[in-house]
Amino acid sequence: MTHTNQPAEPLPFRVCIRVRYAECDAQQVVFNARYGDYVDIAMTEYFRVISGGFQTLLEQGYDCQVVRMLTNWQAPARFDEVLNLDVTTERIGTTSFTLKVAISKAVGQQPVATSEVTYVLVATTDYKKTPLPDSLRTALNRGATGQLIDQSGSVSDSSRRVSL
């Protein structure tokens, strides 16, 4: 028997949330529009960790606007389930960047949905698109692998949690 010492996959940047009753529809599953909210929560936390958050961006005279969001669903999520939202930087352009958010059930890791969202950077003076500054480009390239934000109150592994 041959063993290869493959390096372990780095842990993703993860936000854990719990599905609230108000997020479910008449079919007793998370309403499709709520996934946009989940992606926004994940992106906001990712941004906070990689670059100091939106307030830092605004103080530098920049803001982000969503120009494209694509979600593919694989399974329903239901009330009180804990979901993992794993965020990665997918693409960095001249004036835009794309993040991928893979959503899965915490118990059993069943995939629920995958969203890709593209943001355009704008200057707050005129809200016209503007090139990404080097600091943001570097932060997006670096990402935040291994970081965990637990908004569900269910994660017992505190070794990955981010202190905010």
Side-chain angles (χ1 to χ4, degrees):
M1 185 189 302
T2 306
H3 292 282
T4 58
N5 289 332
Q6 302 260 348
E9 278 289 313
L11 295 171
F13 173 84
R14 177 171 286 169
V15 178
C16 298
I17 62 170
R18 185 178 297 276
V19 174
R20 296 171 295 189
Y21 181 78
E23 296 165 343
C24 297
D25 61 18
Q27 290 79 32
Q28 300 179 5
V29 298
V30 172
F31 180 58
N32 61 56
R34 297 292 68 82
Y35 286 89
D37 296 336
Y38 293 168
V39 168
D40 191 60
I41 290 167
M43 185 277 191
T44 300
E45 295 301 337
Y46 185 71
F47 226 75
R48 186 184 331 276
V49 170
I50 68 168
S51 68
F54 276 106
Q55 189 58 41
T56 301
L57 193 67
L58 291 169
E59 289 168 0
Q60 295 171 359
Y62 301 109
D63 200 354
C64 295
Q65 296 180 340
V66 175
V67 295
R68 178 181 173 272
M69 182 182 215
L70 174 67
T71 301
N72 290 310
W73 286 272
Q74 290 91 32
R78 299 182 187 282
F79 169 65
D80 213 30
E81 287 184 316
V82 174
L83 301 177
N84 295 331
L85 286 62
D86 295 347
V87 183
T88 54
T89 301
E90 285 293 298
R91 186 192 65 76
I92 303 170
T94 303
T95 61
S96 66
F97 59 93
T98 301
L99 299 180
K100 178 180 174 185
V101 181
I103 303 170
S104 62
K105 295 181 182 189
V107 174
Q109 300 299 308
Q110 179 185 17
V112 172
T114 303
S115 288
E116 287 188 6
V117 59
T118 301
Y119 301 87
V120 168
L121 191 71
V122 295
T124 55
T125 53
D126 58 8
Y127 285 88
K128 292 186 179 177
K129 65 182 180 177
T130 188
L132 300 177
D134 289 340
S135 58
L136 180 55
R137 186 175 299 284
T138 300
L140 288 164
N141 270 317
R142 181 179 57 243
T145 5
Q147 302 296 315
L148 172 70
I149 307 293
D150 179 24
Q151 295 184 352
S152 70
S154 67
V155 179
S156 61
D157 177 14
S158 62
S159 64
R160 292 192 332 142
R161 287 196 188 144
V162 175
S163 299
L164 300 175

